[in-house]
């Protein structure tokens, strides 16, 4: 797989988005009920995957950047937990149906075709009752300099996600909000985000 700007970013010293989990994910205080598997999409250096593994979930972290995933493995080792990693391009990634109890997507920004593909795959991979957690920058993020894509086509609106998950997810949280983001050196300041937490029907 070709090298990306992500390989370069993750090749820098330290952790681009920090070692602590995303604030929205942590705020949900999700706990495993027995032996449960979670898939972390576009998981980079693994901060969310390691957090979930520490809670007792079995975790698979997928990203296109092997440089990021190597750091995810290091972070897991540092925390004495196991995380499985897989290098893949999510634009063509296939996920076994009915195979995950949870899917987590934090700042996974894609063009509309990839976004629709991966959300379709995520939906059919979730078991009934399985949870979906997502935080991503909204289209309003172009007004801020917190971080995130500068190309509006890679930013989302609630209507996009409503359309992607229509009729299949019972939303517990579904909102666009502004929040102060302090997540590593690449996400800092006030930002406009979309937050979703729901369960598959
Ligand atoms: C802003 S980072 C978020 C990393 C991680 N979720 C976090 O919150 O720390 C976005 C990630 O999306 C990944 N990514 C972007 N496009 C991708 C694609 N088509 N397939 C797989 N990963 C992709 C990048 O490699 C990068 O790690």
């Amino acid at each position: 797989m070709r090298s990306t700007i992500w390989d370069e970013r993750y090749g820098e010293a330290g952790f681009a988005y920090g070692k602590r989990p995303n604030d929205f994910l942590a705020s949900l205080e999700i706990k495993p009920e027995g032996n449960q598997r979670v898939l972390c999409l576009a998981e980079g250096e693994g901060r969310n995957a390691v957090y979930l593994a520490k809670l007792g979930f079995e975790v698979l972290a997928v990203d296109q950047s092997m440089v990021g995933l190597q750091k995810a493995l290091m972070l897991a080792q540092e925390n004495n937990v196991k995380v499985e990693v897989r290098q893949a391009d999510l634009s063509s990634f296939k996920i076994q149906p009915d195979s995950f109890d949870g899917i987590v997507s934090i700042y996974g920004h894609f063009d509309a075709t990839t976004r629709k593909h991966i959300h379709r795959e995520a939906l059919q991979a979730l078991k009934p009752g399985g949870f979906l957690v997502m935080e991503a920058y909204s289209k309003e993020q172009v007004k801020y300099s917190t971080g995130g894509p500068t190309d509006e086509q890679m930013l989302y609106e609630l209507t996009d996600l409503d359309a992607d998950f229509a009729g299949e997810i019972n939303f517990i949280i579904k909102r666009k909000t502004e929040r102060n983001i302090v997540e590593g050196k690449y996400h800092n300041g006030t930002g406009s985000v979309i937050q979703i937490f729901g369960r598959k029907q």
Side-chain angles (χ1 to χ4, degrees):
M1 195 169 288
R2 72 195 148 81
S3 163
T4 65
I5 60 142
W6 297 105
D7 288 337
E8 284 169 34
R9 182 167 291 191
Y10 297 145
E12 293 170 14
F15 280 68
Y17 304 101
K19 291 182 173 180
R20 286 187 294 119
N22 165 258
D23 291 336
F24 176 59
L25 172 63
S27 75
L28 298 171
E29 298 187 347
I30 295 168
K31 298 273 184 297
E33 292 156 18
N35 202 11
Q36 292 197 310
R37 273 185 97 207
V38 178
L39 171 64
C40 292
L41 296 170
E43 181 48 16
E45 296 168 312
R47 63 193 177 118
N48 306 302
V50 167
Y51 164 76
L52 291 161
K54 283 171 79 176
L55 292 177
F57 287 104
E58 253 180 64
V59 187
L60 172 63
V62 177
D63 200 282
Q64 67 191 356
S65 170
M66 204 56 221
V67 181
L69 293 174
Q70 291 291 358
K71 281 167 98 174
L73 290 173
M74 273 170 42
L75 189 61
Q77 198 174 33
E78 195 177 298
N79 283 275
N80 296 312
V81 290
K82 192 172 161 279
V83 165
E84 190 189 337
V85 300
R86 192 165 313 153
Q87 184 188 30
D89 181 353
L90 292 172
S91 65
S92 54
F93 190 57
K94 292 275 183 204
I95 320 174
Q96 196 189 332
D98 225 19
S99 56
F100 287 95
D101 302 284
I103 296 200
V104 172
S105 174
I106 304 296
Y107 303 127
H109 288 275
F110 315 107
D111 60 69
T113 308
T114 299
R115 191 200 80 228
K116 285 179 197 166
H117 164 76
I118 199 60
H119 287 173
R120 239 187 341 263
E121 286 291 313
L123 266 181
Q124 51 92 45
L126 260 188
K127 297 178 186 171
F131 63 82
L132 171 71
V133 177
M134 188 170 168
E135 184 172 69
Y137 287 113
S138 85
K139 289 203 185 288
E140 283 180 44
Q141 183 61 15
V142 290
K143 295 192 236 154
Y144 300 90
S145 52
T146 333
T150 47
D151 177 356
E152 209 180 310
Q153 311 237 14
M154 308 286 273
L155 297 165
Y156 304 153
E157 276 307 337
L158 272 179
T159 47
D160 299 326
L161 305 176
D162 257 340
D164 292 355
F165 301 124
E168 305 228 33
I169 295 285
N170 286 328
F171 294 106
I172 301 158
I173 297 172
K174 185 179 68 176
R175 64 188 167 216
K176 177 158 85 174
T177 185
E178 264 187 12
R179 75 174 187 93
N180 186 39
I181 304 172
V182 183
E183 300 191 12
K185 67 175 169 179
Y186 283 100
H187 281 179
N188 259 286
T190 303
S192 174
V193 292
I194 286 174
Q195 298 177 329
I196 281 180
F197 173 47
R199 289 197 178 268
K200 186 168 174 184
Q201 292 174 7

